[in-house]
């Protein structure tokens, strides 16, 4: 079988290529050049040139063909511009999820197929297998990686059945230490290389500095909302339906400047996110202040003191129907139906017990326990055991 590997210059994709070669496949390595601007990358991070050199050395060591493909224009259009647009709207995007959906498993996969590949492999800590339903149709299952500490299934939560049918994740059965051990044993240059941090393909960046490339700083006010605010004293209304209750539980509180007290200034609400406490420059509090809301129109950031602050927590989240994506299309909920699941809305977040509901107007996820810092634009993903069933963008 001919397999094209996305060789990134890291240890995970390096071992992926080696394992496929050991299994007897014809392996071809492609390095994606997706970013050109080093001006926003922090000094201690390797630029793409070093990564491509490491990828080339791995390919030479394994004796496999190696090619660099320039996807920087596409990456800017589909990922970077999307990020700028989302932050401008006051949302919190996840570029890594988009990168897998729009780049690695779309354009990159199509490029690989045009080279005659049967499958595309990446160094993700995830697994894919398949079963056949009663009609003889093959159903693909996206499973969590065996290494709980490195499981990256969340980043693949927007993939579809067609993409999974062509995907291989050879290191999904291994732990990170095992991957490094294999790399050391065969003398790969990437064996001890640090894991890349920060944005997909760009590296570790100063996010405000990165966003300031297109988003103009503008001074605004920081308003503190207090725990004894009447906003949190309201009685829970009587609900006539479950949908009405979920709409209430997932609602966004529209704070006004008059609801609290101005305690500082900031340089642009678009540079911050819900749940953020660093970089606010707020003093004089026993505990840290956390962002609970942003008024993008008036450029106001609302904060509350302590991680226990009521405005920071919600019991439910909402996803607009057009943003609901089922990896397992055969399990898609019909209107009025619900399902018990495990769920997360951030990478590395422990899976939470939840129930998902599908209604004609929207999709909702209700958690058994209150959740902190649910932000619009994040991806909520739901699982059954260790299988990721679907995901959606939080409204």
């Amino acid at each position: 079988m001919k397999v094209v590997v996305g060789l990134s210059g890291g240890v995970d994709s390096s071992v992926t290529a080696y394992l496929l070669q050991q299994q007897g496949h014809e392996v071809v390595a492609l390095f994606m050049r997706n970013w050109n601007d080093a001006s926003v990358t922090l000094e201690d991070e390797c630029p793409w040139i070093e990564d491509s050199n490491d990828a080339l050395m791995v390919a030479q060591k394994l004796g496999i063909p190696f090619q660099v493909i320039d996807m920087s224009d596409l990456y800017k259009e589909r990922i970077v511009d999307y990020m700028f647009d989302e932050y401008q709207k006051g949302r919190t995007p996840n570029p890594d999820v988009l990168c897998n959906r729009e780049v690695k498993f779309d354009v990159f996969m199509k490029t690989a197929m045009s080279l005659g590949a049967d499958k595309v492999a990446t160094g993700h800590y995830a697994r894919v297998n398949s079963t056949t339903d009663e009609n003889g149709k093959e159903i693909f299952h996206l499973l969590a990686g065996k290494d709980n500490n490195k499981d990256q299934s969340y980043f693949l939560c927007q993939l579809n059945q067609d993409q999974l049918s062509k995907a291989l994740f050879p290191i999904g059965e291994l732990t990170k230490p095992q991957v490094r051990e294999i790399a050391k044993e065969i003398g790969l240059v990437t064996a001890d290389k640090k894991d890349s941090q920060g944005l997909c393909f760009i590296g570790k960046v100063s996010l405000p500095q990165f966003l300031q490339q297109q988003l103009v700083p503008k001074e605004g006010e920081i308003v503190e909302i207090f725990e004894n605010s009447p906003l949190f004293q309201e009685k829970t209304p009587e609900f006539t339906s479950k949908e009405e209750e979920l709409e209430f539980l997932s609602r966004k509180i529209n704070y006004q400047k008059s609801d609290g007290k101005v305690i500082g200034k900031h340089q642009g609400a678009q540079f911050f996110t819900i749940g953020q406490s660093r970089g606010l420059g707020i003093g004089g509090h026993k505990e840290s202040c956390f962002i609970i809301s942003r008024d993008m129109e008036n450029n106001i950031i609302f904060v509350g003191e302590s991680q226990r602050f009521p405005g920071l927590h919600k019991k439910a989240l909402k996803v607009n129907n057009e943003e609901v994506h089922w990896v397992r299309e055969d399990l898609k909920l019909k209107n009025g139906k619900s399902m018990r699941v495990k769920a997360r809305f951030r990478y590395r977040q422990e899976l939470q017990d939840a129930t998902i509901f599908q209604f004609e107007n929207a999709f909702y996820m209700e958690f058994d326990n209150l959740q902190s810092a649910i932000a619009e634009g994040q991806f909520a993903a739901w699982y059954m055991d260790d299988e990721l069933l679907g995901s959606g963008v939080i409204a």
Side-chain angles (χ1 to χ4, degrees):
M1 187 161 68
K2 186 173 182 178
V3 182
V4 167
V5 177
L7 206 59
S8 67
V11 66
D12 298 329
S13 61
S14 303
V15 171
T16 292
Y18 169 72
L19 292 174
L20 290 166
Q21 190 183 49
Q22 292 300 106
Q23 291 164 17
H25 300 299
E26 178 191 349
V27 181
V28 176
L30 286 188
F31 177 89
M32 285 177 275
R33 177 183 173 181
N34 285 359
W35 191 246
N36 298 320
D37 185 0
S39 66
V40 294
T41 307
L42 299 185
E43 290 175 355
D44 60 346
E45 287 295 312
C46 303
W48 75 268
I49 295 170
E50 189 174 325
D51 287 337
S52 66
N53 287 338
D54 288 343
L56 174 60
M57 289 170 74
V58 167
Q60 288 173 335
K61 172 82 175 175
L62 299 177
I64 58 176
F66 176 80
Q67 194 176 327
V68 176
I69 55 173
D70 190 340
M71 302 177 83
S72 50
D73 288 345
L74 174 100
Y75 184 80
K76 182 184 180 303
E77 178 192 328
R78 294 208 193 175
I79 311 301
V80 178
D81 290 350
Y82 168 85
M83 274 183 65
F84 285 133
D85 187 50
E86 286 287 276
Y87 273 102
Q88 185 84 57
K89 291 174 183 170
R91 290 158 64 87
T92 305
N94 189 309
D96 294 281
V97 173
L98 264 293
C99 187
N100 284 315
R101 186 183 81 187
E102 300 287 333
V103 181
K104 287 182 188 171
F105 293 93
D106 184 10
V107 180
F108 178 78
M109 182 173 266
K110 286 170 184 168
T111 303
M113 295 299 150
S114 73
L115 296 173
D118 299 296
K119 297 269 188 179
V120 167
T122 62
H124 282 100
Y125 287 86
R127 294 170 294 147
V128 62
N129 66 19
S130 68
T131 54
T132 305
D133 68 12
E134 64 273 13
N135 301 316
K137 183 184 177 185
E138 193 170 12
I139 306 286
F140 291 89
H141 308 270
L142 174 60
L143 307 173
K146 285 286 189 185
D147 187 339
N148 286 333
N149 192 45
K150 287 294 293 181
D151 168 39
Q152 292 173 316
S153 57
Y154 174 79
F155 290 140
L156 304 168
C157 69
Q158 287 275 294
L159 299 194
N160 58 37
Q161 286 288 302
D162 182 56
Q163 289 166 322
L164 286 177
S165 74
K166 301 181 181 80
L168 293 174
F169 308 118
I171 64 169
E173 298 286 345
L174 304 174
T175 63
K176 185 76 180 199
Q178 288 173 322
V179 167
R180 288 206 183 277
E181 192 56 42
I182 291 169
K184 281 179 190 171
E185 281 175 13
I186 60 173
L188 294 182
V189 68
T190 54
D192 294 313
K193 189 172 178 179
K194 280 185 183 177
D195 287 352
S196 61
Q197 300 290 322
L199 302 180
C200 175
F201 286 122
I202 297 177
K204 198 168 185 180
V205 300
S206 162
L207 191 57
Q209 189 181 337
F210 183 73
L211 294 173
Q212 279 171 24
Q213 289 186 322
Q214 280 192 27
L215 307 185
V216 181
K218 182 187 174 188
E219 189 173 85
E221 293 174 323
I222 300 174
V223 174
E224 181 174 6
I225 304 294
F226 300 97
E227 200 165 337
N228 61 2
S229 166
L231 292 165
F232 307 125
Q233 313 304 322
E234 293 175 4
K235 276 191 172 180
T236 304
E238 297 273 330
F239 302 112
T240 58
S241 68
K242 186 64 183 178
E243 184 175 6
E244 193 180 310
E245 180 189 1
L246 290 166
E247 183 65 27
F248 176 82
L249 292 173
S250 62
R251 78 199 187 285
K252 181 181 177 182
I253 298 175
N254 291 312
Y255 300 96
Q256 305 297 320
K257 183 176 169 180
S258 56
D259 292 328
K261 175 186 171 187
V262 177
I263 60 166
K265 301 278 187 186
H266 63 81
Q267 289 306 307
Q270 69 268 31
F271 300 129
F272 298 88
T273 187
I274 303 300
Q276 184 173 336
S277 63
R278 289 184 180 177
L280 291 171
I282 298 170
H285 291 74
K286 268 189 182 177
E287 297 186 58
S288 296
C289 284
F290 294 83
I291 295 176
I292 57 171
S293 184
R294 293 176 294 171
D295 178 345
M296 302 307 293
E297 194 177 331
N298 297 302
N299 196 28
I300 299 172
I301 287 176
F302 296 96
V303 301
E305 185 179 358
S306 101
Q307 284 185 309
R308 300 177 302 281
F309 190 79
L312 195 58
H313 299 88
K314 278 187 187 178
K315 193 83 163 28
L317 60 83
K318 178 181 179 178
V319 177
N320 292 324
N321 281 336
E322 64 272 17
E323 296 281 14
V324 177
H325 170 79
W326 285 87
V327 177
R328 285 289 304 279
E329 293 162 4
D330 56 312
L331 297 180
K332 185 177 179 179
L333 286 180
K334 290 185 169 62
N335 285 338
K337 297 297 182 182
S338 63
M339 181 191 292
R340 285 290 290 169
V341 295
K342 298 278 189 181
R344 60 165 58 103
F345 50 90
R346 279 190 291 268
Y347 175 54
R348 288 195 176 281
Q349 181 187 20
E350 289 287 325
L351 284 171
Q352 307 291 310
D353 290 315
T355 305
I356 53 175
F357 298 83
Q358 181 65 64
F359 294 101
E360 195 173 330
N361 297 317
F363 174 100
Y364 297 90
M365 179 180 285
E366 182 180 22
F367 297 94
D368 289 11
N369 300 305
L370 283 169
Q371 300 297 311
S372 175
I374 295 175
E376 296 167 74
Q378 291 174 314
F379 287 90
W382 50 94
Y383 295 72
M384 188 80 74
D385 298 321
D386 62 350
E387 181 178 3
L388 195 154
L389 304 183
S391 65
V393 182
I394 299 171

